[in-house]
Amino acid sequence: MTPSIFLKPGREKSVLNFHPWVFSGAIARVSGSPAAGDEVRVCDYQERFLARGFFNPDSQIRVRLLAFSDTPLDSTFFEKGLRRAISLRDSILSPQTNACRLIHAEGDGLSGLIVDRYAEVLVAQFNARGMYLRREEIGKILLDITGARHLIDRSDAKALAAEGLSAAAKEPAGDLPQRIEILENGHQFEIDLLHGQKTGFFLDQRDNRRMIGELAGGKKLLNCFAYSGGFSVYAAATGSQTTSVDISKVAVEQARKNFALNGLDPAAHHFEAANVFDYLRHIEGDRYDIIVLDPPAFAQRKGDITKASRAYKDINRIAFQKVRENGLVLSCSCSSFISEDLFRKILFGAAKEAGRLVQILARPAQPPDHPVNIYHPEGEYLKTVLMRVL
Ligand code: SAH
């Protein structure tokens, strides 16, 4: 029989609101003796069924809920959930794009599972105990549904540590490809599947990169936190002169390669392996028409919010000071702990300190292959503000 978890009185509320996490403090007792990763039924204090999920006594998130009906979390369940997620991507991607987020964890009702598709290769992160233990089963279903040739497991060691698992860093076995070229809105990018950051590419910036491509039109662009040159390639393809800055030498080399892949001469553009905080301070003012700021998540947890806010304010203030009159600044934050409201306040403070008038032109969020579960607002992490600086 499937073990059951009984919640304390009143703690059923969030489950009735379809929130996918049950924290340790909400649990009154456990019947049966579920092992880490086992399927459990979650009930209220009167023993009424609420949901099913995977149990993990070693995580703050004690149960990750996957179904709010009393049906087993077996391969039929996974096949249905994975197909539903994949059909969304099939319906929104153009033939000019063959890389996308296929499974976006809670956003697709599959807490703990992230899968990115790069042409015929899937890169998966099984970032929760229950998902990790079922990775072979899930992997087979994924390959079967998508017809992809390979699946690479790049589960995140930090996420797994929080789940009480020390997955040894391993080189994926077999004849897996190391690198692959993908197409995004008609631009080519080479992805380092085994060693690239995250799963290899920041797919969540696809729509913003296209927006910058449309605005660039031969203007001068400074791309800060450029990684493999995404924004720069889009802009250079319109005749823009671009400068790409990233602290990672490997990323900067990849950016150069990506220029060449697209028939753009890297020698006609600037690439800098540098810390953006130093670099921005030393550039001459008035040189750039467009500045893109796409930093890593400065706030990784709640306790980082104050320090992170300062860092966001710093780079935005300098960008506002240095961009050309009537130039554009595209500013992003991918920290889920920095709310949209707080980010706006940070930008307000930065603009005021820079002493420039700033107009907000657009506020795009994450693209539709990174859906947000309405019951899990924590999943809405990417904030972008396009501004004109007078
Ligand atoms: N805009 C990119 C994604 C950026 S991810 C794209 O479109 O693909 C964040 C990047 O910031 C990473 O490549 C990381 O190497 C870089 N980075 C982190 N801290 C940095 C710093 N202080 N200065 C410069 N780059 C930094």
Side-chain angles (χ1 to χ4, degrees):
M1 218 173 82
T2 312
S4 293
I5 305 282
F6 298 98
L7 302 182
K8 294 175 183 165
R11 300 305 287 268
E12 69 284 354
K13 230 177 125 190
S14 84
V15 183
L16 289 171
N17 281 340
F18 304 116
H19 195 283
W21 298 341
V22 175
F23 289 97
S24 53
I27 296 175
R29 65 191 173 86
V30 179
S31 88
S33 40
D38 276 359
E39 180 176 343
V40 291
R41 297 171 77 247
V42 173
C43 304
D44 69 8
Y45 69 104
Q46 290 177 309
E47 307 200 354
R48 279 182 301 222
F49 171 84
L50 297 170
R52 280 187 181 238
F54 293 143
F55 179 68
N56 186 359
D58 302 321
S59 166
Q60 279 304 309
I61 303 177
R62 203 50 58 96
V63 188
R64 289 178 184 268
L65 301 175
L66 298 168
F68 295 89
S69 60
D70 203 1
T71 44
L73 305 176
D74 54 11
S75 51
T76 309
F77 165 83
F78 276 110
E79 188 173 336
K80 189 169 169 215
L82 295 170
R83 273 191 196 281
R84 184 168 52 192
I86 291 163
S87 72
L88 165 71
R89 283 64 178 183
D90 289 343
S91 69
I92 55 180
L93 288 183
S94 81
Q96 297 281 70
T97 298
N98 65 6
C100 68
R101 174 141 301 182
L102 223 45
I103 312 292
H104 188 53
E106 285 83 2
D108 284 302
L110 294 164
S111 181
L113 179 64
I114 287 173
V115 183
D116 287 340
R117 176 167 200 161
Y118 298 109
E120 74 262 27
V121 180
L122 307 180
V123 181
Q125 294 188 318
F126 303 94
N127 288 345
R129 192 95 168 225
M131 290 293 180
Y132 189 77
L133 295 179
R134 289 164 184 78
R135 61 196 186 283
E136 271 189 36
E137 177 190 355
I138 295 169
K140 276 204 191 94
I141 301 173
L142 278 165
L143 288 172
D144 191 42
I145 298 175
T146 57
R149 291 169 61 138
H150 305 281
L151 183 137
I152 297 177
D153 174 4
R154 287 200 59 191
S155 297
D156 183 59
K158 234 167 141 190
L160 288 181
E163 292 275 311
L165 267 174
S166 59
K170 53 181 176 357
E171 283 295 314
D175 58 345
L176 292 172
Q178 297 232 353
R179 294 171 171 274
I180 194 165
E181 283 170 25
I182 58 122
L183 202 61
E184 187 187 82
N185 292 319
H187 303 288
Q188 279 172 275
F189 294 95
E190 185 189 71
I191 313 295
D192 182 339
L193 294 162
L194 305 187
H195 307 290
Q197 295 190 32
K198 292 274 162 75
T199 65
F201 200 52
F202 292 89
L203 293 162
D204 53 2
Q205 289 289 12
R206 182 192 315 111
D207 290 355
N208 288 335
R209 287 191 279 257
R210 185 172 53 196
M211 179 171 70
I212 287 298
E214 283 164 3
L215 293 165
K219 300 199 172 93
K220 282 196 178 154
L221 173 102
L222 173 62
N223 182 8
C224 298
F225 309 97
Y227 187 50
S228 57
F231 284 98
S232 309
V233 164
Y234 278 68
T238 74
S240 286
Q241 210 207 45
T242 68
T243 301
S244 305
V245 186
D246 199 282
I247 204 160
S248 154
K249 281 197 181 117
V250 177
V252 171
E253 270 323 295
Q254 187 67 61
R256 276 205 182 90
K257 265 188 170 175
N258 284 334
F259 268 66
L261 262 184
N262 288 281
L264 302 162
D265 179 10
H269 296 266
H270 301 289
F271 299 87
E272 301 280 346
N275 187 331
V276 163
F277 288 83
D278 303 329
Y279 188 84
L280 270 179
R281 281 196 178 85
H282 294 110
I283 60 170
E284 292 160 40
D286 237 27
R287 261 187 58 190
Y288 295 101
D289 304 299
I290 305 179
I291 299 182
V292 173
L293 299 173
D294 181 24
F298 289 148
Q300 302 268 10
R301 49 195 118 70
K302 255 198 182 131
D304 296 341
I305 291 178
T306 312
K307 212 171 125 214
S309 302
R310 224 173 291 133
Y312 284 117
K313 189 165 149 190
D314 265 2
I315 49 169
N316 281 282
R317 184 193 62 246
I318 308 175
F320 291 148
Q321 283 164 342
K322 303 254 167 149
V323 76
R324 187 167 282 171
E325 190 176 333
N326 300 335
L328 300 175
V329 172
L330 181 80
S331 188
C332 310
S333 163
C334 60
S335 311
S336 49
F337 296 107
I338 304 284
S339 67
E340 197 178 354
D341 193 41
L342 175 57
F343 192 47
R344 187 76 67 78
K345 286 189 179 118
I346 294 168
L347 296 175
F348 173 95
K352 202 172 156 206
E353 281 180 18
R356 306 270 307 255
L357 291 177
V358 173
Q359 297 172 305
I360 294 177
L361 308 185
R363 291 171 291 268
Q366 60 214 58
D369 57 333
H370 294 63
V372 180
N373 172 352
I374 201 164
Y375 305 112
H376 180 256
E378 299 92 328
E380 190 168 0
Y381 67 100
L382 184 63
K383 289 138 303 256
T384 317
V385 187
L386 175 69
M387 291 159 288
R388 182 164 176 258
V389 184
L390 310 183

